Amino acid sequence: MDAQLDDEILENSLAESLADLVPDPKTVSEDEFVEVVGGALEAVGGTLLFKMCVQNQGEGQHVAAASVGDGGNRQFLLLTLPTGGGALKVETASKSTNPVAGIAAAYAGLMDAFKAAA
């Protein structure tokens, strides 16, 4: 199976598990975002790497980076949710155009180095 197909399967399985977790359209707090992301990652055995709130193209959005799998099979995900409410978007970091996507793999590598040094 090629990597692109794997990415699509992962994104689709996350999207299906999110149907009941997306908050109603309203201002979304950081705590609500963490709850939604936590539920999504639990469904696929993922690990939250970091989260932040950013402005992207004039829109406030919560962004979380996560990893799924380990070793050579590890994939990085970007989960975004507008601060004004809406649908949680899940995409692999490799396909994302969000500027935060490039940080995910570097951050994971840094955390791996810290664990190895400890």
Side-chain angles (χ1 to χ4, degrees):
M1 198 177 321
D2 66 37
Q4 186 173 2
L5 186 56
D6 285 347
D7 289 352
E8 289 176 20
I9 291 170
L10 180 59
E11 289 173 5
N12 289 339
S13 66
L14 274 169
E16 289 171 11
S17 69
L18 293 173
D20 296 332
L21 297 171
V22 177
D24 294 330
K26 60 176 175 57
T27 301
V28 179
S29 72
E30 184 175 352
D31 289 343
E32 289 171 316
F33 178 63
V34 168
E35 185 179 331
V36 170
V37 167
L41 294 177
E42 186 177 315
V44 296
T47 302
L48 178 67
L49 298 173
F50 62 85
K51 62 179 174 42
M52 62 180 66
C53 190
V54 299
Q55 289 289 318
N56 188 12
Q57 299 178 349
E59 175 185 61
Q61 63 181 198
H62 296 287
V63 180
S67 66
V68 176
D70 54 16
N73 293 326
R74 182 161 59 173
Q75 295 184 50
F76 300 103
L77 302 173
L78 201 67
L79 301 93
T80 57
L81 182 66
T83 56
L88 180 70
K89 181 178 180 183
V90 179
E91 57 191 341
T92 55
S94 61
K95 290 178 18 181
S96 178
T97 59
N98 190 306
V100 177
I103 301 171
Y107 184 87
L110 181 63
M111 291 300 100
D112 290 346
F114 283 151
K115 285 180 186 173

